[in-house]
Amino acid sequence: MTVPAELPLDRVAAPRVKVGLVAGGLGAYWPQFPDLLPQLRRSAERVSERMRELGADVVDVGFISDAQEGAVAAERLRAAGCDLIVGFLTTYMTATMLVPVAQRSGAPVLLINLQPTESMDHASFDTGQWLAYCGACPLPEMANAFERCGVPFRSVSGYLEDERAWTRIGRWVRAAGVRAALRHGRHGLMGHLYPGMLDVSTDLTLVSANFGGHVEVLEFDDLRVRVEKVTDAEVRARKDHAAEIFELADSVKDDDLTWAARVSAGLDRLVEDFELDSLAYYHRGLDGETHERLGAGMILGASLLTARGIPAAGEYELRTSLAMLIADRLGAGGSFTELQALDFHRGHVEMGHDGPAHLAISARRPLLRGLGVYHGKRGYGVSVEFDVKHGPVTAFGIIQRRDGRYALVASEGEVVDGPLLQIGNTTSRVDFGCDPGEWTDAWSATGISHHWALGTGHRIADLRALADLMGIDLVEVRP
């Protein structure tokens, strides 16, 4: 994720993905070819090392040679509570050695077949040396057995230092980390539904049914009591922090910035007290009462939280705050976004949103602009304005289908230069490589709600891996 160097943003340390590793081969070979097992063990040690280089905490249960050892490894990995199990096929091994691991672990399983080098030296190799290159041999057997046992199958084949293979393995490891973040996440939902938004309405039980995790239902009074306890010294510190990060437009009034800083400090306490990993919120309010002022003062604090890795979305958009969390954990940032306009002259889709934004993916120092009115919402105050970093991006959201199942939807494009509105909104011009009207129709036809996350980089390959691990569909919108 690209963070402008001048922005002093502190990231929340996300838990490391826990990868269980088991390597194996057929024990009948060891007395026949004494040099084979030591070579395979060295390969297994290298795989364990590279897994750690991917940022994983590795639970390495060692090398198995028969079904009994496979069963012992299965129990150890089950007890470890791994996010992903990696089975390393170093040479031929029977399906009975790995099926128990796949069945008992409770985690997705990835099989890897990484031979020692790109190719054998056919003129000099004997049988023992060939067997070190025979990890592909059991792969179809494993696929057949997994299919018949009802275990989803996925694999990566290559050689030990094959960067193409390790790119694909890294994709599975990242996806497992995102899956774990969803399964163990605590997601705040504060306030009430934006009136009339049928697309935004989310059955909270379906979040746990599709993703796991917990939705903590909050009231704006939970925020109010914490904001009331914020000291003047904390407000000054938060204003100083905002001045470091943002350019302040002349329209920013000190009273509005002071209030936003106070709400931001209280919001940090709320997130800490409820141990939240994400937050969606909305409150309509009336006649300037306290809850209306709290809702209007959220943008600064919500943007700072989002930049730290705790995504916050307005308009009660729970599924989009979850999409933003996924994008963030994939390293894409992920800013709260909707359609704003279509530029048929330039061939661009203009998208963005008022309210909170992911400051870490701003193309330049973000601007705080003072607004006397928030369009479509009550209240006034400071709002964030910026353009997402130019280059490859992915529009990504979560759809809820009629039967209650969730699906992911994504489309890759490029943020490009062009004129932007200066109205206190995040706005980016995205070129999807086709007529913007055709793209908009195809995107809308997926069943996406009118909000989603816009993240940096082309991320469909990562999202495809995540969808596979979670057993849900990924809908791709292409030119």
Side-chain angles (χ1 to χ4, degrees), residues 20-30 36-37 40-41 44-45 59-77 85-102 104 109 111 138 142 146:
L21 177 63
V22 55
L26 188 65
Y29 294 150
W30 314 150
L36 179 59
L37 181 57
L40 301 182
R41 287 186 184 277
E45 290 171 1
V59 180
D60 190 341
V61 297
F63 206 96
I64 61 174
S65 300
D66 54 35
Q68 292 92 331
E69 292 180 359
V72 172
E75 281 302 302
R76 289 182 60 191
L77 292 172
I85 304 296
V86 175
F88 179 21
L89 311 179
T90 66
T91 185
Y92 175 72
M93 57 193 298
T94 63
T96 57
M97 298 166 65
L98 280 184
V99 164
V101 173
R104 300 179 196 177
V109 179
L111 299 185
M142 298 296 173
F146 277 33

Side-chain angles (χ1 to χ4, degrees), residues 30-46:
W30 314 150
Q32 296 176 325
F33 309 100
D35 294 334
L36 179 59
L37 181 57
Q39 179 182 3
L40 301 182
R41 287 186 184 277
R42 288 193 297 272
S43 292
E45 290 171 1
R46 178 57 177 152

Side-chain angles (χ1 to χ4, degrees), residues 77-137:
L77 292 172
R78 182 195 61 78
C82 297
D83 303 314
L84 179 71
I85 304 296
V86 175
F88 179 21
L89 311 179
T90 66
T91 185
Y92 175 72
M93 57 193 298
T94 63
T96 57
M97 298 166 65
L98 280 184
V99 164
V101 173
Q103 289 178 318
R104 300 179 196 177
S105 67
V109 179
L110 170 67
L111 299 185
I112 60 174
N113 153 45
L114 301 178
Q115 62 188 41
T117 64
E118 289 181 272
S119 176
M120 293 186 293
D121 184 349
H122 296 77
S124 65
F125 270 28
D126 60 18
T127 302
Q129 291 168 305
W130 156 61
L131 286 172
Y133 285 73
C134 199
C137 179

Side-chain angles (χ1 to χ4, degrees), residues 418-472:
L420 302 172
L421 294 174
Q422 299 177 21
I423 58 172
N425 283 204
T426 62
T427 304
S428 295
R429 290 180 161 272
V430 187
D431 186 345
F432 288 102
C434 62
D435 176 82
E438 292 181 4
W439 182 88
T440 300
D441 291 337
W443 181 251
S444 301
T446 65
I448 187 73
S449 67
H450 79 278
H451 299 122
W452 53 87
L454 184 65
T456 56
H458 284 167
R459 306 289 176 171
I460 281 182
D462 285 333
L463 293 169
R464 193 179 297 126
L466 175 62
D468 181 281
L469 294 188
M470 300 190 70
I472 62 178

Side-chain angles (χ1 to χ4, degrees), residues 228-247:
E228 289 171 350
K229 295 177 182 177
V230 173
T231 66
D232 291 341
E234 290 175 306
V235 172
R236 287 193 296 271
R238 187 55 53 96
K239 288 175 68 176
D240 290 341
H241 184 51
E244 289 183 274
I245 294 173
F246 294 93
E247 177 184 351

Side-chain angles (χ1 to χ4, degrees), residues 85-407:
I85 304 296
V86 175
F88 179 21
L89 311 179
T90 66
T91 185
Y92 175 72
M93 57 193 298
T94 63
T96 57
M97 298 166 65
L98 280 184
V99 164
V101 173
Q103 289 178 318
R104 300 179 196 177
S105 67
V109 179
L110 170 67
L111 299 185
I112 60 174
N113 153 45
L114 301 178
Q115 62 188 41
T117 64
E118 289 181 272
S119 176
M120 293 186 293
D121 184 349
H122 296 77
S124 65
F125 270 28
D126 60 18
T127 302
Q129 291 168 305
W130 156 61
L131 286 172
Y133 285 73
C134 199
C137 179
L139 197 58
E141 175 180 338
M142 298 296 173
N144 177 282
F146 277 33
E147 171 65 24
R148 292 165 68 180
C149 291
V151 176
F153 179 82
R154 56 195 68 86
S155 67
V156 172
S157 293
Y159 58 94
L160 203 56
E161 302 299 339
D162 183 354
E163 294 307 319
R164 295 168 301 178
W166 280 106
T167 295
R168 286 149 55 205
I169 292 169
R171 194 171 292 142
W172 290 111
V173 171
R174 285 192 300 275
V178 175
R179 176 179 179 270
L182 293 171
R183 285 169 56 84
H184 303 295
R186 290 176 54 82
H187 312 296
L189 187 62
M190 183 171 69
H192 62 81
L193 185 69
Y194 190 112
M197 284 188 177
L198 296 178
D199 62 315
V200 167
S201 177
T202 298
D203 182 330
L204 303 191
T205 304
L206 291 181
V207 175
S208 298
N210 284 275
F211 288 164
H214 169 76
V215 178
E216 183 73 16
V217 178
L218 304 168
E219 299 179 4
F220 260 77
D221 282 325
D222 291 311
L223 176 61
R224 175 186 57 79
V225 296
R226 288 163 175 82
V227 169
E228 289 171 350
K229 295 177 182 177
V230 173
T231 66
D232 291 341
E234 290 175 306
V235 172
R236 287 193 296 271
R238 187 55 53 96
K239 288 175 68 176
D240 290 341
H241 184 51
E244 289 183 274
I245 294 173
F246 294 93
E247 177 184 351
L248 302 184
D250 293 340
S251 56
V252 173
K253 296 179 180 179
D254 186 67
D255 286 349
D256 293 344
L257 181 58
T258 298
W259 176 246
R262 188 174 297 277
V263 174
S264 175
L267 191 57
D268 282 1
R269 292 184 182 179
L270 180 83
V271 167
E272 181 178 356
D273 290 347
F274 287 97
E275 300 178 326
L276 301 181
D277 297 295
S278 69
L279 175 67
Y281 66 90
Y282 176 76
H283 184 82
R284 181 170 58 184
L286 184 66
D287 294 337
E289 48 84 30
T290 299
H291 299 91
E292 178 184 302
R293 292 291 295 127
L294 286 169
M298 289 281 290
I299 295 173
L300 172 64
S303 297
L304 292 172
L305 281 174
T306 301
R308 290 172 52 205
I310 305 172
E315 298 182 13
Y316 215 60
E317 243 299 16
L318 174 59
R319 294 196 308 281
T320 298
S321 63
L322 295 174
M324 292 165 63
L325 179 65
I326 292 171
D328 183 87
R329 296 301 185 266
L330 288 176
S335 204
F336 190 40
T337 307
E338 67 182 6
L339 291 171
Q340 292 183 327
L342 304 180
D343 189 333
F344 292 96
H345 174 67
R346 298 174 179 84
H348 302 159
V349 177
E350 297 179 60
M351 58 176 67
H353 209 284
D354 63 323
H358 203 307
L359 307 176
I361 61 172
S362 176
R364 58 190 63 84
R365 190 179 184 190
L367 177 76
L368 269 186
R369 186 180 295 280
L371 297 179
V373 61
Y374 292 150
H375 72 274
K377 306 177 184 69
R378 290 179 174 147
Y380 55 89
V382 296
S383 190
V384 175
E385 184 176 299
F386 76 70
D387 181 14
V388 168
K389 181 180 182 293
H390 292 194
V393 290
T394 302
F396 164 63
I398 298 169
I399 54 179
Q400 178 177 310
R401 290 178 166 156
R402 187 174 183 178
D403 61 3
R405 291 182 301 123
Y406 284 2

